[in-house]
Amino acid sequence: MVQLFALVVAAGFVVLGAIVLSGVDGLRGQQTTIDELESPAEGRLEPGEVVTVRGPVSVVEPASPERTGPESNGDDSAALWAWRLRRKEGTGNGSRWRTVDGELAVGEFDVDHGWDRVGVDTAALAADVDDPFDSSQSFLGEPETEAYLGDLDPVNRFLERTGLAGEGGALSDVEVTISVGRKTTMPDKYQRTVIRDGDELVVRGGLTETADGYVLRGTDETPLVIATDTLETQEDQLRSRIRMQKAVGGVFIALGVLVAILGVR
């Protein structure tokens, strides 16, 4: 009976490790996409090919986000407006931030690529997204700005200002205020990144030539992908996540093997 229980526990560890390791493939796919985005097209653009262009944007029609956040009335020069609403919820062993709403609002814009001005099929980017900062089609890095939609209590105000309780802080999973079930006393947080006229943007997609010039479009095989100029930082963070997941998955599998060996002795 003891051996059977040990084997069940061992199998659970192995399965858990396999689940963790299975997520590495998805992260490697993101890394491959970032590598492609870091290699913009050079020389003459060839219609019919999948290319990456990088350069400042020229806004033709500004983006119109549904929610611009506090202390903002929108931006007439915004080519792209990515925002999300975050909420801190209680869990069984602490608390975590979760995205409860978000949008990738896209205007009409071109990307200046050397001597060429390349249009972007914004309809392909305007699809509904739950979180524009966690999407396979947008690599925007961390939000540029954020604001609480309410007042912090003194303790959490201190922790946030010192960086201890921020989303990447050492106490990011610690809720020191009152938590009832999944609800906490932390106010919701609005985060955004805005790409304005003249800001640099990276866009990858299929290149077509129209009467008005070049246009980048997405297809089922090659979805349109956009990114900011923080790709190097994003890639470093992604590599760290891959190393961490491989290490955690390996530890769970090793524990499973160890429990199985001890259980059958």
Side-chain angles (χ1 to χ4, degrees):
M1 186 68 180
V2 175
Q3 290 182 347
L4 179 60
F5 177 76
L7 290 176
V8 171
V9 173
F13 277 127
V14 172
V15 170
L16 187 57
I19 292 174
V20 173
L21 290 177
S22 67
V24 173
D25 289 338
L27 295 178
R28 283 176 174 161
Q30 295 181 34
Q31 186 175 4
T32 299
T33 302
I34 289 179
D35 290 339
E36 294 170 345
L37 292 171
E38 288 183 319
S39 302
E42 296 181 359
R44 178 179 173 81
L45 297 175
E46 294 294 339
E49 295 184 353
V50 176
V51 300
T52 298
V53 299
R54 180 172 189 162
V57 299
S58 298
V59 178
V60 179
E61 184 70 28
S64 299
E66 294 181 0
R67 191 164 189 169
T68 58
E71 301 179 2
S72 175
N73 295 319
D75 193 318
D76 292 338
S77 65
L80 180 149
W81 190 299
W83 66 269
R84 67 181 178 185
L85 188 66
R86 302 278 276 175
R87 181 168 297 159
K88 199 166 193 183
E89 297 180 341
T91 63
N93 56 358
S95 57
R96 66 182 179 89
W97 288 100
R98 185 174 71 88
T99 299
V100 295
D101 197 6
E103 179 191 14
L104 181 63
V106 183
E108 183 180 348
F109 61 89
D110 301 325
V111 178
D112 292 332
H113 180 74
W115 295 101
D116 297 308
R117 176 168 287 188
V118 183
V120 179
D121 181 9
T122 56
L125 293 174
D128 292 337
V129 293
D130 296 328
D131 187 339
F133 299 97
D134 185 18
S135 169
S136 60
Q137 288 186 253
S138 56
F139 292 80
L140 306 176
E142 295 299 319
E144 290 180 348
T145 59
E146 64 180 25
Y148 285 104
L149 305 182
D151 296 327
L152 288 171
D153 60 81
V155 175
N156 280 292
R157 187 183 303 116
F158 170 77
L159 293 175
E160 288 287 335
R161 286 180 176 176
T162 56
L164 293 174
E167 295 195 38
L171 302 179
S172 59
D173 293 329
V174 177
E175 175 56 65
V176 298
T177 52
I178 299 174
S179 176
V180 181
R182 292 181 62 86
K183 295 183 178 180
T184 70
T185 57
M186 288 288 286
D188 290 347
K189 182 187 297 184
Y190 177 90
Q191 299 178 320
R192 68 170 177 257
T193 289
V194 182
I195 304 298
R196 299 176 174 84
D197 193 272
D199 288 347
E200 188 170 273
L201 191 67
V202 184
V203 186
R204 178 175 178 267
L207 186 69
T208 60
E209 189 170 13
T210 69
D212 297 325
Y214 293 126
V215 177
L216 281 175
R217 291 191 169 96
T219 66
D220 292 337
E221 296 78 17
T222 309
L224 198 66
V225 180
I226 60 171
T228 59
D229 58 359
T230 61
L231 284 172
E232 185 175 345
T233 300
Q234 294 180 56
E235 186 171 30
D236 289 341
Q237 294 172 344
L238 196 56
R239 285 174 177 166
S240 296
R241 288 180 60 190
I242 290 174
R243 287 194 296 267
M244 178 62 71
Q245 282 201 220
K246 290 173 68 175
V248 172
V251 167
F252 279 127
I253 291 176
L255 283 174
V257 173
L258 178 61
V259 171
I261 292 175
L262 294 177
V264 297
R265 283 185 176 180

